[in-house]
Amino acid sequence: AQRVTQPEKLLSVFKGAPVELKCNYSYSGSPELFWYVQYSRQRLQLLLRHISRESIKGFTADLNKGETSFHLKKPFAQEEDSAMYYCALGFTGGGNKLTFGTGTQLKVEL
Amino acid sequence: DTAVSQTPKYLVTQMGNDKSIKCEQNLGHDTMYWYKQDSKKFLKIMFSYNNKELIINETVPNRFSPKSPDKAHLNLHINSLELGDSAVYFCASRNNRGTGELFFGEGSRLTVL
């Protein structure tokens, strides 16, 4: 079965420190991986997807098929990065379904 | 010009009641979803409709009945509400020919007393 694991429920870092939010997935085919973010009192929105290989708000994520990981990284955390981050897995034949991880709450402290 | 809108945003009701949440998207997307976010912030898919046709129906009690009158609308009706139904319900839509991105509504917070 398809599964997404985010081992950290809460990650607390100081402003300016590097951030890494972990995500591992379980799927034997060709996955589509996404990171979604939910800022306080706002709707979930797409942060980035592995296909586009882009950097958004300083965040990057590389798909590592060998380790089945899609960790989210940022070299220097900002206060406005504090939010809930969800890793999500889409897959062929999944009926357009996205399976979400349990989420990691990132707290950036001054 | 909100892309995905849900009503109501907040709903407080007694156990045993029946309630509905409505969702509309003006993005012209083909697929719409209902997700449930529980108190631990777990986000789990409930239903998905593609062009008014049900394509995903996860293990959800049959007290939950989605209805899609047209591809721009997906409503969720819940019968005989239970305490465990308290959650935030998110509607989302997706363009099948696009990038795969889901566009979410703001959520409807349901509290069952």
Side-chain angles (χ1 to χ4, degrees), chain A residues 9 32 34 36 38 41-46 49 84 86 94-102 105, chain B residues 2 4 31 33 35 37 41-43 45 48 55-56 58 90 94 96 99-102 104-106:
Chain A
K9 204 170 172 180
E32 296 176 30
F34 305 83
Y36 280 78
Q38 186 178 24
R41 300 181 190 282
Q42 293 188 29
R43 67 187 72 206
L44 272 139
Q45 55 188 284
L46 179 69
R49 58 181 76 88
M84 189 72 169
Y86 290 94
N96 298 323
K97 180 170 82 170
L98 273 191
T99 298
F100 284 83
T102 48
Q105 180 74 46
Chain B
T2 305
V4 182
T31 305
Y33 306 79
Y35 277 84
Q37 186 182 48
K41 303 279 193 176
F42 295 165
L43 200 58
I45 190 167
S48 174
I55 55 170
I56 295 174
E58 295 290 290
F90 285 99
R94 171 180 164 157
N96 292 352
T99 58
E101 178 181 355
L102 257 60
F104 283 86
E106 291 183 305

Side-chain angles (χ1 to χ4, degrees), chain A residues 28-99:
Chain A
S28 55
S30 292
E32 296 176 30
L33 274 300
F34 305 83
W35 276 99
Y36 280 78
V37 61
Q38 186 178 24
Y39 299 103
S40 180
R41 300 181 190 282
Q42 293 188 29
R43 67 187 72 206
L44 272 139
Q45 55 188 284
L46 179 69
L47 181 61
L48 51 79
R49 58 181 76 88
H50 90 269
I51 290 176
S52 52
R53 292 180 160 268
E54 56 199 344
S55 173
I56 303 290
K57 299 184 179 183
F59 284 97
T60 58
D62 291 317
L63 177 60
N64 185 324
K65 289 188 177 181
E67 296 182 358
T68 59
S69 69
F70 188 57
H71 302 327
L72 183 68
K73 299 178 184 179
K74 184 169 181 176
F76 308 104
Q78 301 298 315
E79 195 181 353
E80 57 266 27
D81 296 329
S82 295
M84 189 72 169
Y85 291 81
Y86 290 94
C87 183
L89 166 69
F91 49 94
T92 307
N96 298 323
K97 180 170 82 170
L98 273 191
T99 298

Side-chain angles (χ1 to χ4, degrees), chain B residues 7-70:
Chain B
T7 54
K9 282 182 81 169
Y10 300 94
L11 190 53
V12 180
T13 188
Q14 300 285 334
M15 264 196 323
N17 284 350
D18 304 338
K19 289 293 176 187
S20 293
I21 308 171
K22 296 186 176 183
C23 179
E24 176 181 3
Q25 54 97 1
N26 62 6
L27 297 166
H29 289 170
D30 304 302
T31 305
M32 295 184 72
Y33 306 79
W34 278 111
Y35 277 84
K36 179 181 179 181
Q37 186 182 48
D38 64 20
S39 57
K40 294 183 179 177
K41 303 279 193 176
F42 295 165
L43 200 58
K44 192 170 178 194
I45 190 167
M46 300 174 71
F47 302 103
S48 174
Y49 271 72
N50 183 57
N51 235 336
K52 302 193 296 175
E53 183 184 341
L54 179 67
I55 55 170
I56 295 174
N57 184 350
E58 295 290 290
T59 309
V60 176
N62 57 16
R63 297 182 295 103
F64 290 79
S65 51
K67 279 195 173 51
S68 181
D70 55 62

